[in-house]
Amino acid sequence: MDPRTFPTKGNLMLAKNSLALAKQGYELMDKKRNILIRELMELIDQARTIQEEIDSTFTYAYQCLQKANIENGINTISQIAYTVPIEDSIVIQTRSIMGTEIPHVKYTPKTPVPTYAFSTTKESADRAAEAFRKVKDLTVKLSMVENAAYRLASNIKKTQKRANALQNITIPMYTGLVTDISNALEEKDREEFTRLKVIKRRKQG
């Protein structure tokens, strides 16, 4: 038998303290879960908006690319594509929301600098390049939002499991323990009171 379940006043105090801590823990978990869910809902709305924008921007960009390929030739456009510099201005930082590390991408789009001669290409090449720059910008934003949403969802799941364990296992266990010890102590008190009454009656008799 667990010594912590013995009906003593010390164990009753410990059980009550543990019950209070479990309830406080559940309230904190519940609060954390609600805050994370609210943040997740906002990110989902952002992701949906960006995704819609990306879809339309991608469609337009590929239309521009097709026209550029036709007017300038596929080989010319392929050569131009190789001259586009690799993006190196993206810096990933993190911020904490209720203990969840959320990625925050610092990205400053550079002023477009043509990497090809205007004299050897048509305007369709410029339009395609500009359209794909917008696609890149939106993709960076979407990757940040989706990654943050994934991390929040994962933490919400963990928080929910902890809250459920407190609500369905820990709190009922300590509630039952407090009741059992309290009942046992009350029964002891009644027995002691009855015993003292009997002794007092005998003395008086």
Side-chain angles (χ1 to χ4, degrees):
M1 186 175 179
D2 189 340
R4 291 175 299 178
T5 63
F6 292 161
T8 65
K9 290 183 178 179
N11 280 345
L12 178 61
M13 189 177 295
L14 287 173
K16 283 182 176 179
N17 288 341
S18 296
L19 178 59
L21 283 172
K23 287 181 176 179
Q24 186 180 24
Y26 172 75
E27 288 173 6
L28 288 171
M29 286 293 131
D30 192 50
K31 182 180 178 182
K32 177 180 178 179
R33 178 186 57 192
N34 290 334
I35 290 172
L36 293 178
I37 288 173
R38 188 167 63 245
E39 289 284 338
L40 180 60
M41 291 299 103
E42 289 178 7
L43 286 174
I44 289 173
D45 289 340
Q46 287 180 39
R48 188 180 295 115
T49 302
I50 296 171
Q51 187 63 62
E52 288 171 359
E53 198 174 348
I54 279 183
D55 290 343
S56 61
T57 307
F58 251 121
T59 301
Y60 174 71
Y62 276 109
Q63 288 172 352
C64 291
L65 181 60
Q66 284 179 332
K67 188 173 182 181
N69 282 335
I70 292 168
E71 293 186 356
N72 299 274
I74 292 177
N75 288 336
T76 301
I77 296 301
S78 295
Q79 289 171 5
I80 290 173
Y82 282 116
T83 67
V84 176
I86 295 173
E87 181 59 61
D88 59 359
S89 68
I90 296 174
V91 178
I92 299 177
Q93 299 176 328
T94 58
R95 64 187 180 95
S96 179
I97 299 177
M98 298 296 288
T100 305
E101 293 296 314
I102 302 299
H104 177 68
V105 178
K106 288 189 72 175
Y107 166 58
T108 308
K110 296 176 182 176
T111 303
V113 178
T115 56
Y116 54 90
F118 291 130
S119 58
T120 58
T121 57
K122 298 187 181 296
E123 187 183 355
S124 54
D126 304 336
R127 287 182 180 171
E130 179 59 28
F132 275 100
R133 268 193 293 273
K134 289 180 181 176
V135 168
K136 180 181 68 176
D137 295 347
L138 289 169
T139 303
V140 170
K141 288 181 185 176
L142 184 62
S143 66
M144 178 179 71
V145 171
E146 286 187 340
N147 196 306
Y150 174 80
R151 292 194 186 189
L152 282 174
S154 177
N155 210 320
I156 287 169
K157 191 175 180 181
K158 290 178 186 175
T159 304
Q160 183 68 55
K161 284 180 72 175
R162 289 172 184 160
N164 287 344
L166 286 168
Q167 185 180 33
N168 301 321
I169 299 172
T170 308
I171 291 175
M173 180 185 73
Y174 281 114
T175 300
L177 185 58
V178 167
T179 301
D180 291 344
I181 293 176
S182 295
N183 289 340
L185 288 175
E186 286 174 9
E187 184 63 28
K188 272 186 179 180
D189 287 343
R190 281 194 294 270
E191 288 175 1
E192 182 65 16
F193 179 72
T194 303
R195 190 177 69 82
L196 289 172
K197 278 184 73 176
V198 170
I199 292 172
K200 185 178 179 181
R201 196 179 298 122
R202 283 176 180 173
K203 284 182 177 180
Q204 287 174 347

